[in-house]
Amino acid sequence: MNTIIGLIIIAIGSLGQSSSYVPINKVKSWSWESFWLVQGVFAWLLFPYLGALLAVPEGSTLGALLASGNGAALKAMGFGVLWGIGGLTFGLSMRYLGVALGQSISLGTCSAFGTLIPAIIAGTDLFTGKGLVLLVGVCIAIAGIAIIGYAGSLRAKNMTEEQKKAAVKDFALGKGLLVALLAGVMSACFSLGLEAAEPIKTAALGLGTKALYAGLPAVLMVTLGGFFTNAVYCLFQNVKNKTAKDYFSVPGSVMVNNLLFCGLAGVLWYSQFFGLALGKSFFTDGSIMMAFSWSILMSLNILFSNFWGIILKEWVGCAKATFIWLGIGLLILIFSCIYPSL
């Protein structure tokens, strides 16, 4: 029963993340880099900070909690800086491929690297016992992702240039695939950052923090590192493209509109890791579900992002075979989420 509760919580957070890019269409008169930076303040600073405060036990402080663990916080932040590169290219992958295909390729790569690398570092034998179950589960998820990617290639082949531009304004398959693969590899550093911050979680539990919230300070440190990378890039683009005036030149009503939708995008994005931290507290330490939780989150993100892709009409004009392949890929992803518990 606990496993089911944990999966439901992770799924709710995943649905929020997959919906986080929808508010982009409501932001007015801002360049991509301006929107990305402002929503990042909410997604990577404000909401993770508020979440981390839930883990602070009575009589302690967040600073004291983060100082525990022999430099674990700095290690997590370092992985966050690398993850930030993935976050930048992740946004570009959706710019070139759309919400559905962009997230599918990026998150699929992220799923594999983010699940297997921590297991290898921990000394897990991937060809026997629990390690083999983990490896097979990742392969099942990758198979579903590959089929969705194939459906995306069929979509590109069957759609006219006008249809491509109508669905995704800057559609570019070749460039988008390269960017999406890079985004996936670097985004896997988020999982490594969470692993590096495990001593902080252990310290929090030792001080009396509820297991439900103990993983949230780790999320803050990883997103803090990611925010640094993204802020440097976005401010550079503001100067290069002369878009720094975006933040101050819009009318008050537009500013309020943009801040509201940036805030909405931020809290929706953060909900995936808030849900992951809470959901994992229902899994048994050292269990296959705990080790596979990262892949489960990524698979659910892909599943929900493709539902959004259908709603946003990114697959309009495709042949029947394309939808069949898409459906098969989504079903395999659903199976990959429940496979470890079987």
Side-chain angles (χ1 to χ4, degrees):
M1 186 62 183
N2 282 347
T3 298
I4 296 176
I5 295 174
L7 286 173
I8 291 174
I9 293 174
I10 293 174
I12 293 173
S14 171
L15 178 60
Q17 186 278 339
S18 301
S19 307
S20 65
Y21 296 94
V22 177
I24 291 177
N25 297 325
K26 300 296 183 179
V27 175
K28 303 175 182 178
S29 305
W30 277 2
S31 62
W32 179 87
E33 56 267 23
S34 299
F35 160 79
W36 196 249
L37 179 57
V38 175
Q39 70 86 29
V41 171
F42 290 99
W44 308 320
L45 290 182
L46 179 59
F47 292 115
Y49 173 73
L50 295 176
L53 290 179
L54 295 173
V56 179
E58 187 176 352
S60 184
T61 65
L62 180 59
L65 194 60
L66 295 175
S68 60
N70 297 321
L74 290 178
K75 292 178 183 178
M77 190 184 301
F79 279 115
V81 171
L82 297 176
W83 161 75
I85 298 174
L88 284 170
T89 48
F90 187 69
L92 290 175
S93 70
M94 284 178 291
R95 178 179 176 181
Y96 295 132
L97 297 177
V99 173
L101 185 57
Q103 289 207 57
S104 296
I105 303 300
S106 299
L107 294 178
T109 310
C110 180
S111 172
F113 279 86
T115 301
L116 296 180
I117 291 179
I120 293 172
I121 293 176
T124 302
D125 184 353
L126 296 180
F127 300 100
T128 59
K130 187 178 74 172
L132 182 60
V133 176
L134 189 67
L135 180 61
V136 172
V138 170
C139 290
I140 292 173
I142 292 176
I145 293 160
I147 291 174
I148 292 174
Y150 175 66
S153 68
L154 291 179
R155 180 189 71 169
K157 181 179 179 180
N158 295 333
M159 294 171 69
T160 65
E161 288 300 319
E162 291 74 16
Q163 289 173 326
K164 294 176 185 177
K165 296 299 182 181
V168 182
K169 183 179 179 182
D170 299 317
F171 185 84
L173 182 62
K175 184 191 297 185
L177 288 176
L178 290 176
V179 170
L181 289 173
L182 175 62
V185 173
M186 299 308 293
S187 293
C189 289
F190 201 110
S191 177
L192 300 180
L194 294 179
E195 290 291 325
E198 275 295 306
I200 299 176
K201 178 180 177 180
T202 301
L205 291 171
L207 292 172
T209 298
K210 292 182 179 180
L212 196 64
Y213 306 124
L216 294 175
V219 176
L220 170 63
M221 298 315 298
V222 180
T223 58
L224 183 61
F227 177 78
F228 174 80
T229 305
N230 281 266
V232 169
Y233 177 80
C234 289
L235 290 174
F236 171 76
Q237 290 296 316
N238 279 149
V239 173
K240 177 184 176 182
N241 300 328
K242 299 180 180 180
T243 55
K245 62 180 184 298
D246 286 354
Y247 307 108
F248 311 105
S249 61
V250 295
S253 59
V254 176
M255 175 66 76
V256 171
N257 173 86
N258 290 356
L259 289 176
L260 286 174
F261 282 107
C262 283
L264 177 59
V267 72
L268 288 173
W269 183 93
Y270 173 63
S271 66
Q272 65 177 314
F273 294 115
F274 186 82
L276 178 64
L278 269 60
K280 286 171 64 175
S281 69
F282 289 89
F283 300 153
T284 304
D285 286 338
S287 67
I288 187 64
M289 289 300 294
M290 182 69 79
F292 201 64
S293 59
W294 180 260
S295 184
I296 290 173
L297 175 64
M298 295 301 106
S299 295
L300 288 171
N301 284 351
I302 296 169
L303 181 69
F304 290 128
S305 69
N306 276 280
F307 285 147
W308 270 115
I310 294 172
I311 293 173
L312 294 175
K313 300 181 180 180
E314 292 180 357
W315 297 87
V316 168
C318 296
K320 182 179 180 180
T322 303
F323 285 104
I324 292 175
W325 282 112
L326 176 62
I328 293 174
L330 294 178
L331 288 174
I332 292 176
L333 280 184
I334 293 173
F335 175 71
S336 76
C337 292
I338 62 175
Y339 162 77
S341 64
L342 300 179

